[in-house]
C-alpha cells in the first residue's frame, strides 16, 4: 500500500543525483595512487570539507529518521542529544584529542590504541569495530528498503541493491576522498531537502507559538505540564515530569558525558574524516567547524517530528491514497499507528495503539511536498541512507586493511597490495552489509541482541581513551582489562534492570530485576553507560598501577603531558581552534537558554 | 598531487544544485496554479526553492573558479 506515487520529474531529479555521485567517483579514480590516498585521502582535505563530511557521515538515516521520531516522542528535549551531547564532545575531540590522533600519524583509531597501549587492545577494538560497522550498515540498508517499500511501493530487493551498487561504485573508485566529497554533497542535499518541511510545517501551524499551543494540548493529554514538549530543561528535575523519563544527572552524565563523548571522540567513522585533513590545525578545526551546523540540526531534524505530531490529517491534503487502505485511520497528527501482519493496529498492554514514530519525517515529506520537490525530498532521504552506509564502509575497509589484515595476515606487503586489499574490502564490506540486511529482515531478534552487545562494547571506550591520552601511567594490560570489565559491567547492569512496563528479555532483567525499574528505556541506557564507563575507568587505574608502565620517551606524541603544545601563533585569531571552541560553546549555551 | 588535491569539490556540488534548481524552476513555471500546490499551502514551492537552489549552486561554481584552493 504505497502512500504516494512519483512522476517523471521526481525520477529526473533522483537520476541527476545518482549521476553526480558516481561522476565524483570516476573523476577521483586517477588520484588514488597509494593506500594513504585511498584510506586517508592523502591527508589533503581542507578543514571545511572535512568538517562537513564529519557530520554528514553521521547524518545517516538513524539521525534523519531517528531524531524526527524522537522529536515526536520527546519533543524539544531531544535537542539534548545535540546541545549537551554532540557539541561539547566535538569541541573536546577537536581541542584535546586531535593532537594525538593526527599528531601520532596513526592511520586509524585502533592503530592509536596499538601505539599507545598494545596489540591486544588494538585487536579488541578493531575487530569489534569492524563487525559493528558491517551490521549497522546492514541494519540501515534494511530500514531503507522497508521505508521505500512502504512509501513508494518499491521492491525492497531492488532498492537495497540499487543503493549498495551506487555506494560500492563511488567508494571502489575514489576511496575515502570520494566518500568525503559525496558526504559534503549529501549534506547540502539533506539541508535543501528537509528545510522546506520545517518552513511549510511552521507556517501551517502558525509558527513556533502555534506549535507550542498545539503541543500543549498533546502534552497535557500525556499527563505532563503544558510546556513539557517545548522546554528542554525546565522539567528535568524529576523523571516523571518529562517525556524522556530521566532526571538531569542521568542525562548529563549518561548521554552528555559517557555516550556522546564515547561516540564523537572514539568512533573511527567520524574521526577518520578529521584524520584526512590537510594539517594539524585543519584536523583540530574539523570537528569545531562541524559543530556549527550541528548545533542547528535540531531545527532541521527534530522539528519535523514535532510538527508531524500536531498536523491535522483532514485539512488541505488532497492525497487520495490514504482513505481506504488504512485500518481505522488511527493516527497521531500525521503519524500512523503500527500495523501487524493481518493489517490490524498494534496495541500495547494498556490497549493503546502503538505509533510508528519512524514515519514522522517521511510522512511530512509526503504531506507537504508536491511533485518536483517531492523528488528532491526523497532524494535527500536516499542520500542520508547512502552517506551513512558509505561512512561505515570506508571506516570498515580501513580498519580491516590496516588493523586486521596488515597486523594479523600479511605484515610487509607492498603499498599497492594494501591499496588492492582496500578495494577488495570495499566490495566485501558492501556484500556483507547486504547479507546483514537480509539477516535483519528475517530474524529481527538477532539484530536486537547484536545492537545490545555493541552498546555494551562501546560504552566504556571513552574511559580508555581519556586515561590513555591524559594519564601517562596507564598501561596496555590496564586498558584491555578495563575495557573487558566495562563491557561486562554494562551487560550486568542491563541484566539486573528493566524499564517500567517492559517484559524481561531484550529490554533487560535477564539476571533478575534487582534495581528499581527505570522510568524509560532511555534512562536505563544512560545508566548502563554510566556503569560501564565508571567500571572501566576504575579497573584501568587499578590494573595500571599494578603493571609495569612504558618508558616515557616512547609516549611522546601520544600522551598530553609528554607532548609539546601545538603552536598557533601564526594562525589568524578567529580561526584558531581554541577561539572557535569558545564561540561554539557560547552559542550552545545560548541555545540551551532559549529553549530552557 | 595525490589524494584530493586535484579536484575542487565546490565545482560538482555547485553544478548539481544549479541543474536541479533549473529543473525545479522550469517545472514550477510549467505547473503554476496547479491544484497540487494545495499541499504546499498554495505556495509554488518548486519555483521558489528552485531559485534558491540555483543561486546556491551558481555561487558555489563561481567560488570554485575564483579561488584556486
Amino acid at each position: 500500500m504505497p502512500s504516494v506515487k512519483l512522476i517523471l520529474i521526481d525520477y529526473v531529479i533522483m537520476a541527476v543525483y545518482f549521476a553526480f555521485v558516481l561522476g565524483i567517483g570516476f573523476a577521483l579514480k586517477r588520484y588514488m595512487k597509494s593506500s594513504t590516498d585511498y584510506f586517508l585521502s592523502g591527508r589533503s582535505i581542507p578543514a571545511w570539507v572535512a568538517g562537513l563530511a564529519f557530520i554528514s557521515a553521521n547524518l545517516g538515516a538513524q539521525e534523519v529518521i531517528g531524531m524526527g521520531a524522537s522529536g515526536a516522542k520527546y519533543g524539544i528535549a531531544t535537542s539534548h542529544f545535540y546541545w549537551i551531547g554532540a557539541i561539547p564532545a566535538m569541541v573536546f575531540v577537536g581541542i584535546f584529542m586531535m593532537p594525538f590522533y593526527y599528531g601520532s600519524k596513526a592511520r586509524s583509531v585502533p592503530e592509536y590504541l596499538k601505539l599507545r597501549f598494545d596489540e591486544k587492545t588494538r585487536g579488541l577494538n578493531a575487530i569489534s569495530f569492524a563487525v559493528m560497522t558491517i551490521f549497522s550498515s546492514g541494519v540501515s540498508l534494511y530500514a531503507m528498503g522497508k521505508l521505500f517499500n512502504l512509501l513508494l511501493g518499491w521492491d525492497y530487493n531492488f532498492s537495497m541493491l540499487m543503493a549498495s551498487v551506487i555506494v560500492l561504485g563511488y567508494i571502489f573508485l575514489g576511496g575515502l576522498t570520494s566518500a568525503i566529497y559525496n558526504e559534503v554533497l549529501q549534506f547540502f542535499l539533506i539541508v535543501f531537502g528537509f528545510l522546506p518541511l520545517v518552513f511549510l510545517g511552521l507556517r501551517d501551524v502558525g509558527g513556533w507559538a502555534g506549535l507550542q499551543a498545539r503541543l500543549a494540548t498533546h502534552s497535557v493529554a500525556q499527563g505532563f505540564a503544558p510546556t513539557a514538549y517545548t522546554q528542554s530543561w525546565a522539567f528535568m528535575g524529576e523523571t516523571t515530569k518529562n517525556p524522556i523519563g530521566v532526571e538531569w544527572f542521568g542525562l548529563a552524565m549518561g548521554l552528555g558525558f559517557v555516550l556522546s563523548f564515547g561516540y564523537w571522540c572514539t568512533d573511527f567513522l567520524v574521526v577518520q574524516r578529521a584524520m584526512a585533513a590537510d594539517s594539524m590545525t585543519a584536523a583540530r578545526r574539523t570537528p569545531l567547524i562541524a559543530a556549527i551546523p550541528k548545533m542547528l540540526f535540531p531545527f532541521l531534524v527534530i522539528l519535523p517530528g514535532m510538527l508531524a505530531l500536531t498536523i491535522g490529517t483532514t485539512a488541505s491534503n488532497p492525497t487520495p491514497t490514504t482513505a481506504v487502505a488504512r485500518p481505522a485511520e488511527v493516527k497521531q497528527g500525521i503519524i500512523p499507528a503500527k500495523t501487524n501482519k493481518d493489517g490490524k493496529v498494534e496495541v500495547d498492554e494498556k490497549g493503546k495503539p502503538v505509533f510508528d514514530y519512524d514515519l514522522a519525517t517521511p510522512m511530512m515529506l509526503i504531506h507537504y511536498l508536491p511533485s518536483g520537490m517531492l523528488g528532491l525530498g526523497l532524494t535527500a532521504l536516499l542520500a542520508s541512507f547512502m552517506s551513512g552506509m558509505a561512512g561505515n564502509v570506508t571506516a570498515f575497509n580501513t580498519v580491516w586493511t590496516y588493523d586486521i589484515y596488515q597486523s594479523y595476515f600479511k605484515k610487509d606487503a607492498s603499498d599497492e597490495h594494501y591499496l588492492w586489499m582496500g578495494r577488495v574490502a570495499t566490495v566485501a564490506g558492501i556484500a556483507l552489509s547486504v547479507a546483514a540486511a537480509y539477516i535483519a529482515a528475517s530474524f529481527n531478534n538477532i539484530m536486537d541482541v547484536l545492537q545490545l552487545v555493541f552498546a555494551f562494547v562501546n560504552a566504556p571506550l571513552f574511559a580508555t581513551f581519556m586515561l590513555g591520552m591524559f594519564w601517562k601511567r596507564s598501561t596496555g594490560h590496564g586498558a584491555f582489562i578495563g575495557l573487558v570489565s566495562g563491557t561486562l559491567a554494562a551487560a550486568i547492569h542491563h541484566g539486573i534492570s528493566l524499564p517500567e512496563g517492559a517484559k524481561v528479555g531484550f529490554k533487560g532483567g535477564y539476571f533478575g530485576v534487582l534495581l528499581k525499574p527505570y522510568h524509560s528505556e532511555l534512562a536505563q541506557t544512560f545508566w548502563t553507560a554510566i556503569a560501564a564507563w565508571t567500571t572501566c575507568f576504575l579497573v584501568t587505574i587499578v590494573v595500571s598501577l599494578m603493571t609495569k608502565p612504558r618508558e616515557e620517551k616512547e609516549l611522546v606524541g601520544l600522551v598530553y603531558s609528554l607532548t609539546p603544545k601545538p603552536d598557533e601563533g601564526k594562525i589568524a585569531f578567529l580561526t584558531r581552534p581554541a577561539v572557535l571552541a569558545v564561540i561554539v560553546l557560547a552559542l550552545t549555551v545560548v541555545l540551551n537558554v532559549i529553549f530552557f | 598531487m595525490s589524494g584530493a588535491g586535484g579536484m575542487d569539490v565546490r565545482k560538482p556540488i555547485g553544478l548539481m544544485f544549479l541543474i536541479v534548481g533549473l529543473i525545479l524552476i522550469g517545472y514550477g513555471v510549467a505547473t503554476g496554479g496547479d491544484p497540487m500546490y494545495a499541499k504546499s499551502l498554495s505556495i509554488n514551492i518548486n519555483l521558489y526553492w528552485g531559485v534558491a537552489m540555483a543561486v546556491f549552486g551558481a555561487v558555489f561554481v563561481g567560488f570554485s573558479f575564483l579561488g584556486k584552493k
Side-chain angles (χ1 to χ4, degrees), chain A residues 57-95:
Chain A
N58 166 262
L59 192 58
Q62 300 96 315
E63 175 128 344
V64 174
I65 306 276
M67 287 295 148
S70 300
K73 269 191 274 188
Y74 312 124
I76 196 72
T78 309
S79 62
H80 289 309
F81 282 90
Y82 296 79
W83 297 338
I84 62 159
I87 305 293
M90 287 160 88
V91 169
F92 187 83
V93 69
I95 295 296

Side-chain angles (χ1 to χ4, degrees), chain A residues 435-514:
Chain A
Y438 280 102
I439 296 177
S442 30
F443 311 96
N444 234 328
N445 294 341
I446 289 186
M447 284 298 154
D448 288 343
V449 174
L450 275 172
Q451 276 171 340
L452 211 54
V453 173
F454 296 156
F456 299 160
V457 173
N458 278 338
L461 266 180
F462 184 60
T464 306
F465 281 87
M466 223 174 103
L467 289 168
M469 287 182 177
F470 299 102
W471 191 45
K472 61 185 179 188
R473 183 68 182 76
S474 57
T475 67
H477 294 309
F480 185 81
I481 297 173
L483 273 179
V484 174
S485 14
T487 299
L488 287 177
I492 292 170
H493 177 271
H494 192 260
I496 58 170
S497 62
L498 202 64
E500 268 171 19
K503 289 195 203 75
V504 171
F506 304 121
K507 306 280 185 201
Y510 33 82
F511 298 138
V513 186
L514 302 178

Side-chain angles (χ1 to χ4, degrees), chain A residues 547-560:
Chain A
T547 46
K548 197 168 137 311
R550 283 177 65 183
E551 298 263 346
E552 288 200 358
K553 63 174 191 297
E554 294 172 10
L555 296 177
V556 175
L558 299 169
V559 179
Y560 190 78

Side-chain angles (χ1 to χ4, degrees), chain A residues 216-226 228-229 240-242 352:
Chain A
T217 323
H218 177 72
S219 189
V220 171
Q222 312 285 315
F224 298 113
Y229 277 74
T240 49
K241 297 257 163 82
N242 63 73
K352 283 194 203 153

Side-chain angles (χ1 to χ4, degrees), chain A residues 1-51:
Chain A
M1 40 149 216
S3 308
V4 73
K5 248 185 107 63
L6 294 189
I7 61 170
L8 181 67
I9 183 82
D10 304 310
Y11 287 113
V12 168
I13 291 171
M14 228 171 248
V16 170
Y17 165 73
F18 290 154
F20 269 87
V21 284
L22 286 174
I24 287 177
F26 275 105
L28 288 168
K29 181 169 184 279
R30 63 198 169 102
Y31 298 113
M32 296 297 126
K33 298 206 175 89
S34 69
S35 72
T36 322
D37 292 340
Y38 196 73
F39 297 122
L40 287 169
S41 303
R43 298 197 195 260
S44 66
I45 302 287
W48 74 271
V49 174

Side-chain angles (χ1 to χ4, degrees), chain A residues 84-325:
Chain A
I84 62 159
I87 305 293
M90 287 160 88
V91 169
F92 187 83
V93 69
I95 295 296
F96 295 107
M97 294 176 75
M98 211 43 82
F100 311 110
Y101 281 140
Y102 197 87
S104 68
K105 295 276 169 243
R107 298 166 302 178
S108 68
V109 166
E111 193 167 71
Y112 172 81
L113 289 177
K114 150 87 179 159
L115 297 172
R116 173 62 185 86
F117 295 118
D118 53 16
E119 186 58 60
K120 61 177 179 301
T121 312
R122 182 245 288 263
L124 177 68
N125 184 245
I127 292 165
S128 62
F129 181 81
V131 175
M132 238 174 322
T133 45
I134 293 299
F135 274 100
S136 53
S137 150
V139 168
S140 101
L141 194 60
Y142 167 62
M144 187 206 80
K146 219 169 66 170
L147 182 63
F148 279 81
N149 178 267
L150 185 74
L151 296 179
L152 306 174
W154 287 2
D155 176 62
Y156 84 52
N157 298 306
F158 165 78
S159 54
M160 295 198 319
L161 200 69
M162 176 197 67
S164 1
V165 166
I166 291 173
V167 171
L168 172 66
Y170 71 75
I171 299 178
F172 185 84
L173 294 164
L176 181 66
T177 314
S178 185
I180 287 183
Y181 280 17
N182 276 314
E183 277 154 9
V184 178
L185 178 88
Q186 284 149 352
F187 168 81
F188 287 114
L189 189 62
I190 291 166
V191 171
F192 272 91
F194 288 89
L195 212 52
L197 292 185
V198 178
F199 168 74
L200 291 170
L202 278 179
R203 198 181 153 101
D204 200 11
V205 301
W208 176 246
L211 180 63
Q212 274 177 313
R214 289 181 181 220
L215 282 173
T217 323
H218 177 72
S219 189
V220 171
Q222 312 285 315
F224 298 113
T227 55
Y229 277 74
T230 46
Q231 284 188 283
S232 61
W233 282 106
F235 302 97
M236 285 295 153
E238 276 176 65
T239 53
T240 49
K241 297 257 163 82
N242 63 73
I244 297 192
V246 66
E247 86 308 342
W248 67 270
F249 183 81
L251 184 83
M253 282 304 289
L255 173 66
F257 184 63
V258 179
L259 289 175
S260 299
F261 278 68
Y263 178 76
W264 291 99
C265 302
T266 72
D267 198 296
F268 184 52
L269 172 71
V270 288
V271 175
Q272 187 178 24
R273 271 74 197 152
M275 283 180 168
D278 59 13
S279 68
M280 168 70 93
T281 320
R284 297 183 68 203
R285 251 187 268 155
T286 295
L288 299 169
I289 291 174
I292 293 170
K294 185 79 181 173
M295 73 173 77
L296 300 174
F297 273 11
F299 304 113
L300 189 71
V301 296
I302 299 176
L303 266 185
M306 294 168 65
L307 286 162
L309 202 57
T310 63
I311 291 161
T313 39
T314 46
S316 74
N317 186 2
T319 326
T321 43
T322 48
V324 200

